[in-house]
Each structure stands twice: as C-alpha cells, then as structure tokens.
Amino acid sequence: QVQLVESGGGLVEPGGSLRLSCAASGFTFSDYYMSWIRQSPGKGLEWVSYISHDSNIIHDADSVKGRFTISRDNAKNSLYLQMNSLRAEDTAVYYCARYHSEFDYWGQGTLVTVSS
Amino acid sequence: QPVLTQPPSASASLGASVTLTCTLSSGYSNYKVDWYQQKPGKGPRFVMRVGTGGIVGSKGDGIPDRFSVLGSGLNRYLTIKNIQEEDESDYHCGADHGSGFNFVVFGGGTKLTVL
C-alpha cells in the first residue's frame, strides 16, 4: 500500500535551517508529482511547494520563495524540503503528499517549530 | 487565484445527515474542488473531487458510499448520510490550477462534530 513517511522536523531558532525528508513506498515514485503542504497549529492547510516527476517543474508558494527548496531522489524514493532563513510563521506540521490530479495520499506529518 | 470559504464548524447527530459547504470566490464558478478528511493527529485523506456536474473521477480509497458531492454555482457540497462516530473529523476543501498547476489553495476547514 502507498506509504509516505516524513522525518527531519524539530525545534530550530529563527534564521536557522532544517531539511525535511519524505520516504515513499508502495508505488512507482518516479511516476508521480509530489508536494509539501503545511498546517500551522490549529489552522488550515497551506500548500508550500511542488515538484514534477522528473524535477523539471518546480513551483513554490510566495511565502517560501527564495527560502525553501524542494528536491527529490527517484533512486532513493525520497522527497526533500530544504528550509533556510526560518521564521516563527513557518512553525507548522509539514506533510508530503502525492499528486495525481489531486493530493491522493498524504503522510502523517513532521512538526517544525521555529522559536528562540 | 480563488479564495475558498468554509464555515468553521458543523454538527450532526449519530445516524443523521449533514452537508458541508465550500464556497469559491466570485469569478471561479467553473473550478473543481477536492474534499479531504483529517482526523486528529493524522494527515489528510482524499475524499473526492467535485465540479458543477457532481463527482469528478473516483472517490478516495475506502471512502464509504455514505459520502457524496454536489456542485452549484460557486458552492461545492459534501454530504454525509447516516453519520457514524468515525466521521467526526476536520473537512478541508482545496482547488488547484489543474494542468497549469502554479498554485493550490485550501479553505479554512470545517470541524464536524458527531453528537
């Protein structure tokens, strides 16, 4: 069955960096577009970034443009999110999701807390 | 890009029916919307996509027949019949740019309480 498992979250100071990972299994990872979506505590969902199956197409939300970088390694069935210059407002649970005309599978999320 | 509006809460009694609403902002009446169910501490789960003609494509894995959708004008509806305790969740609607895909927006979510 399709599984997406995020890791790499934690507590980081403002201005710091963090790299999230998402391990995919149960499907042919290289066939699918993937995305990161976040959810601030008690709030709704916010789309963060998106990458095509071959990494040729990448789109980022304006709120993270220039600070976050999405990437993938199809040989390792893994999706990544490099987060730099982190701000308090980046505090959220970060989900990776498979995109197949909709976000049809999501992971359980990893919590990122930006605080001094 | 469209703005999606959802009421923050809804409630229904066990065994009853409830309809959740997602409203697109003016000018986006042709947009399809995806519904997602999210239980506490879990990632969202795709329910189904809805346009003005009703369901688009297939339901998500394991979504019961009790769940159905309709679309009219700027509104996209998710109806749950014969509500069960396990239906108590947050329900989010989302819309993307389709094949152009350069943005995705979500509504604020509706917390459904089963009484």
Side-chain angles (χ1 to χ4, degrees), chain B:
Chain B
Q1 64 193 49
V3 174
L4 306 182
T5 302
Q6 299 180 253
S9 64
S11 62
S13 299
L14 196 64
S17 296
V18 69
T19 295
L20 308 180
T21 303
C22 175
T23 303
L24 291 150
S25 51
S26 178
Y28 293 95
S29 59
N30 61 324
Y31 270 62
K32 303 174 183 65
V33 153
D34 298 324
W35 283 99
Y36 299 93
Q37 178 192 55
Q38 184 180 28
K39 295 184 184 294
K42 302 288 188 181
R45 174 192 188 191
F46 173 67
V47 178
M48 69 187 88
R49 170 169 287 187
V50 55
T52 52
I55 186 172
V56 179
S58 303
K59 293 181 180 180
D61 288 348
I63 299 299
D65 291 341
R66 303 183 289 104
F67 287 67
S68 62
V69 291
L70 280 176
S72 176
L74 294 172
N75 293 321
R76 305 291 180 262
Y77 304 103
L78 174 67
T79 297
I80 311 172
K81 296 182 179 178
N82 186 23
I83 288 179
Q84 303 298 301
E85 288 185 1
E86 63 262 28
D87 298 331
E88 184 163 291
S89 303
D90 292 329
Y91 290 86
H92 305 273
C93 60
D96 66 51
H97 207 271
S99 59
F101 204 107
N102 58 8
F103 74 83
V104 180
V105 291
F106 293 95
T110 296
K111 180 176 182 58
L112 174 63
T113 300
V114 178
L115 304 173

Side-chain angles (χ1 to χ4, degrees), chain A residues 39-107:
Chain A
Q39 186 173 33
S40 300
K43 299 289 180 63
L45 301 169
E46 179 189 13
W47 169 74
V48 173
S49 192
Y50 151 95
I51 187 168
S52 63
H53 64 289
D54 58 4
S55 303
N56 283 341
I57 300 172
I58 288 174
H59 290 292
D60 303 310
D62 288 344
S63 57
V64 306
K65 205 164 287 187
R67 300 188 299 123
F68 290 11
T69 302
I70 190 171
S71 63
R72 65 191 294 161
D73 185 336
N74 287 343
K76 294 183 177 179
N77 292 334
S78 293
L79 177 72
Y80 306 102
L81 186 68
Q82 177 66 43
M83 305 186 295
N84 299 329
S85 303
L86 282 160
R87 307 167 179 166
E89 55 264 35
D90 296 318
T91 293
V93 174
Y94 285 73
Y95 298 100
C96 70
R98 190 178 84 168
Y99 182 75
H100 183 60
S101 78
E102 68 280 331
F103 297 111
D104 61 353
Y105 288 96
W106 301 58

